[in-house]
Amino acid sequence: MADRSRVWRFAVGMRNPSQITLLISLFFATVYPLTLSTEGSRVLSVYAVYFMWISLAESWNLVGGYAGLLNLGISAFFALGGVVGALALFDGFPFIISLLLAGFAGAILGVALIPTFRLKSFYFAIATLVVPLVVKPMVEFLGNRADFTVPQTVILTPIGLYYSGLVLAGITIFGAYFLMQSRVGFALRALGDDELASSSLGINVLLYKSIAVLTSGFIASAAGAYYLQIIGTINTTLFQNLNFSLFPIFMVIIGGIGTFEGPVLGAVVFSLINYYVTSQFPGSTVDTFILSLMIIGVAVLLPRGLVSSLHELRKRRTPIPVK
Amino acid sequence: MDALLELDGVTKSFGGLVAVRNLSFSIGEGEILGLIGPNGAGKTTVFNLISGVYRPEAGSIRFDGKVISGLKPHEVSSLGVARTFQTVRPFARMSARENVMTGLLFGRGGINAPRRATQKALEMLESVSLLDKAEVRAGRLTLAEQRRLELARALATSPKLLMLDEVVAGLNHSEMNAMVDLLRRIQPERRMALIVIEHVMKAIVRLCNRIVVMNGGEKLVEGSPSEVMRDERVVAAYMGRRGNGGESTTTFSSAPQ
Ligand SMILES: Nc1ncnc2c1ncn2[C@@H]1O[C@H](COP(=O)(O)OP(=O)(O)OP(=O)(O)O)[C@@H](O)[C@H]1O
Ligand SMILES: [Mg+2]
């Protein structure tokens, strides 16, 4: 017979401070535009990139952080989403549909990676490096061009851009949260740690890896269609743009790999630092150099990221109850 | 009486090396069977064959009336076969509680919502004396704790057959006794069959009523612990490997890592 009160104490009340912080931030992000004048609301488009990075980092984390599959070419999903989004807008579909169609295209691209699951996970990483090289020329051939510029008329207003980004990021964050709290989340984290042990418990490794890659692909491509709204044009060079493949990884590493709030924190912190460093050294490659050093520093000093380090700090302060 | 698990002429080789050759044995419901043999005899390979990690080249494996050779590991698991690993394989980044919850969520107990698995997981951790480590990352536990965690995680799937691959290896004397006591307590109340691979004879003798001895991939002898230990072929097999048979009543060979 288990000692109920002791068991109970572990079971309840595990509200974690970073979750509360996140909820409060989302609340402020929602009401913030209401404090601005019509004129001042133009600044809102500045925040769009944060929402975009949060979604992209969260998407990468599902596969790379939880399921332990290294995606080195998320830029291909992102760029494909941008292209499909542009085509949808050309055809007169509204923004929301362009986002969804882009998402489905990303999920289908994810299906193309499923055959690599039977091999060592090393081959998945190689395949993700190859995907941009294969998809880019295909898109250029089928679309018969490399530039997908949409007319200004189908671009969202700053306030529309802001709120749709907030919704995109919000759905991504809470989607990731609930997914990871669910049975699926347990399967992904388990197989990310040990595939053989997972399958011995009844987890269909192939199925759950597929779910992760499809979901991640959907989000990354939807983020690409959102990016199109930010800059108004997609060039196919985006498929091989290293920044878009690496920055989400950096963000996840900084924030905390395999945690759902890590990518959010990492995306914000990294974007701020990136903005600052780039503005200090305009037009040089010094910024990339500094950012790279910073990532190595974080990986060495805080291997489990900011979120986990904050948790550890808190645990150390809390006295451990005597058995 | 129909056997719960039945191996019939099972063979598996790696390249030129025949790891398991024409092996047949069976185990009934609720029975405890010991599987012993010198290093490299093929014991772990037998577990990998039963659990679907490898497919036998010849012969068949039946479990609960169904042919399971050829099924995938997760399919075998959902029929009611669980196992632990010779080198522990905890989900290192998950807490001890989450490790056990994973077993509950994907096992045959019919629990699908993590919220409903929490309480049960804590009770199971308590039964293996790990409740105070419930929120510790499994990667940070000691080897003895990880072995108990792996046991709890396997039990969480509600197996009809549990296969233990050297669960006392690397444990000190009192940890070993605690583990054996734990198994003797858990096994009858769950009415599950056990196959135990073990090098430590004291542990085997305290647990099993029947032992299969393997050597060079083949079954050498089958019988009660005392019959097996008296058997000349068994003693010879171990002596042949070790070059001396002095301490073979306690440990047939030094436990590998
Ligand atoms: N995946 C594999 N590839 C190649 N050879 C293997 C593989 N698995 C096992 N073997 C070989 O098969 C033989 C039997 O190995 P197995 O691990 O089943 O032995 P064991 O009885 O469990 O030994 P131990 O007591 O050392 O754990 C050994 O010679 C081993 O080297
Ligand atoms: Mg072995």
Side-chain angles (χ1 to χ4, degrees), chain A residues 108-272:
Chain A
I108 292 169
L109 184 54
V111 173
L113 291 170
I114 291 178
T116 65
F117 292 163
R118 291 190 181 279
L119 310 167
K120 281 189 163 56
S121 59
F122 161 79
Y123 289 95
F124 175 83
I126 298 298
T128 60
L129 275 179
V130 174
V131 163
L133 307 179
V134 176
V135 183
K136 178 176 180 275
M138 275 170 62
V139 165
E140 285 166 355
F141 177 75
L142 293 173
N144 202 19
R145 69 190 126 166
D147 228 14
F148 296 80
T149 307
V150 292
Q152 197 59 43
T153 49
V154 296
I155 295 290
L156 299 167
T157 62
I159 197 142
L161 191 65
Y162 181 90
Y163 274 115
S164 51
L166 184 61
V167 170
L168 177 68
I171 290 178
T172 306
I173 293 168
F174 286 108
Y177 176 73
F178 286 111
L179 189 72
M180 294 325 291
Q181 297 293 308
S182 75
R183 198 162 169 269
V184 179
F186 275 83
L188 292 184
R189 292 165 63 201
L191 71 87
D193 270 351
D194 195 314
E195 285 186 23
L196 184 56
S198 303
S199 63
S200 82
L201 297 178
I203 294 173
N204 184 342
V205 171
L206 202 66
L207 172 72
Y208 286 98
K209 279 185 180 176
S210 307
I211 291 177
V213 169
L214 262 60
T215 314
S216 167
F218 188 99
I219 299 168
S221 291
Y226 180 67
Y227 180 64
L228 172 69
Q229 292 290 332
I230 301 176
I231 65 165
T233 181
I234 297 287
N235 188 281
T236 50
T237 53
L238 186 60
F239 277 93
Q240 288 161 324
N241 188 322
L242 210 53
N243 285 359
F244 285 89
S245 287
L246 288 183
F247 285 1
I249 307 181
F250 290 173
M251 291 165 180
V252 169
I253 291 174
I254 291 176
I257 193 159
T259 65
F260 98 97
E261 58 282 56
V264 183
L265 187 64
V268 174
V269 170
F270 183 85
S271 301
L272 287 171

Side-chain angles (χ1 to χ4, degrees), chain B residues 18-76:
Chain B
V18 185
V20 173
R21 189 195 303 268
N22 196 20
L23 182 73
S24 304
F25 69 83
S26 66
I27 175 172
E29 268 172 47
E31 196 190 347
I32 305 184
L33 177 74
L35 187 57
I36 66 171
N39 292 135
K43 307 176 297 290
T44 299
T45 305
V46 170
F47 276 13
N48 284 330
L49 285 163
I50 296 170
S51 60
V53 176
Y54 304 136
R55 178 195 275 262
E57 284 141 28
S60 73
I61 305 173
R62 294 174 74 84
F63 178 75
D64 222 3
K66 284 185 216 57
V67 175
I68 58 166
S69 28
L71 294 186
K72 300 209 182 72
H74 70 93
E75 293 167 331
V76 175

Side-chain angles (χ1 to χ4, degrees), chain B residues 130-150:
Chain B
L130 281 177
L131 184 58
D132 55 338
K133 299 288 162 68
E135 301 307 323
V136 177
R137 273 155 40 98
R140 294 202 175 166
L141 299 174
T142 65
L143 177 66
E145 289 167 343
Q146 287 179 339
R147 289 219 187 272
R148 296 208 299 280
L149 177 64
E150 217 174 61

